[in-house]
Amino acid sequence: MRTPRRIPLILALGAVVGATCLAPAAAAAPADDYYQAALGKTGAELKTALHGIISTNTKLTYDEVWDGIKAADEDPADPANVILIYSGRSQAKTANGGDPDQWNREHVWAKSHGDFGTATGPGTDLHHLRAEDVSVNAERGNKDFDDGGSPVAEAPGSLTDEDSFEPRDAVKGDVARMVLYMAVRYDGTEGYPDLEPNDSVDNGSAPNIGRLSVLLAWNAQDPPDAAEQHRNQVIYDQFQHNRNPFIDHPEWANSIYG
């Protein structure tokens, strides 16, 4: 794996170790000051420590999210485009909006799961907001994540049924790590809902999303790649100034939720 831009060498090397074998936290990186308060912890204690670290972030408005996604989801082969998360399509950054075949802002943690809408906070957090085709976004809707279903016409490799959505293989781990980030970042404090994954589908407006067992499998199946690491760095450097710890330390998913 090549070292992504602007990520320190120790971060990139550690992400490879953690992503490849999901080793214990002490063997993964980054062993830097950012995660100092979490190092050596496990389970609920680790979750609490990570919440304290990542909740000191800059918060965006929903309008500011457009610029954030254009930077974070930029196509490395064509800086004028973004890559759509479920579709995998490269599309012009300027083709954003609400019309068919445009792209809009997909809430990977569906905003109705906890009823937080698009208000500043969970509704505007770039760590789970991604570019996606308007119709595919609507097809996913507020469905939970699970394996199986019928093919999604404009998202090759993705499947859906009446109560769940399965993204293409290349972003399964990305989806899992975004969901777990949201659960650690938003824990019922600051007036936000207490978001938690569970092992159910059809969660409706409850502040839950599933299936946790499937998400943990996806995290192991699809470890962080250079694009996901680069996205994490862009959000940290340019916008929110916090990180998704499950991209830096994917083994922490099992430590907290396994």
Side-chain angles (χ1 to χ4, degrees), residues 9-96:
L9 180 59
I10 191 170
L11 173 59
L13 290 175
V16 171
V17 173
T20 302
C21 61
L22 297 185
D32 60 0
D33 290 343
Y34 186 76
Y35 291 118
Q36 190 62 44
L39 298 179
K41 294 180 169 61
T42 59
E45 188 179 22
L46 173 60
K47 183 183 178 186
T48 298
L50 291 176
H51 171 77
I53 293 167
I54 68 177
S55 63
T56 58
N57 63 295
T58 298
K59 300 172 181 66
L60 307 181
T61 68
Y62 200 44
D63 283 341
E64 289 171 331
V65 164
W66 286 119
D67 288 337
I69 291 177
K70 288 174 182 178
D73 290 350
E74 182 177 290
D75 183 350
D78 186 348
N81 286 14
V82 290
I83 299 290
L84 310 187
I85 181 169
Y86 305 135
S87 305
R89 187 170 78 238
S90 179
Q91 185 155 341
K93 291 179 178 180
T94 55
N96 61 304

Side-chain angles (χ1 to χ4, degrees), residues 51 54-57 59 120-122 185-193:
H51 171 77
I54 68 177
S55 63
T56 58
N57 63 295
K59 300 172 181 66
T120 297
R185 171 62 186 87
Y186 300 101
D187 67 348
T189 58
E190 305 173 74
Y192 300 135

Side-chain angles (χ1 to χ4, degrees), residues 137-190:
N137 193 343
E139 180 73 16
R140 188 269 160 133
N142 68 347
K143 294 172 183 174
D144 294 88
F145 294 104
D146 198 1
D147 290 321
S150 301
V152 179
E154 294 186 73
S158 297
L159 304 172
T160 192
D161 58 24
E162 65 277 3
D163 57 16
S164 70
F165 190 91
E166 177 184 348
R168 60 194 176 99
D169 288 348
V171 296
K172 279 181 165 66
D174 306 51
V175 166
R177 289 180 283 273
M178 285 185 277
V179 167
L180 298 181
Y181 162 87
M182 291 292 285
V184 171
R185 171 62 186 87
Y186 300 101
D187 67 348
T189 58
E190 305 173 74

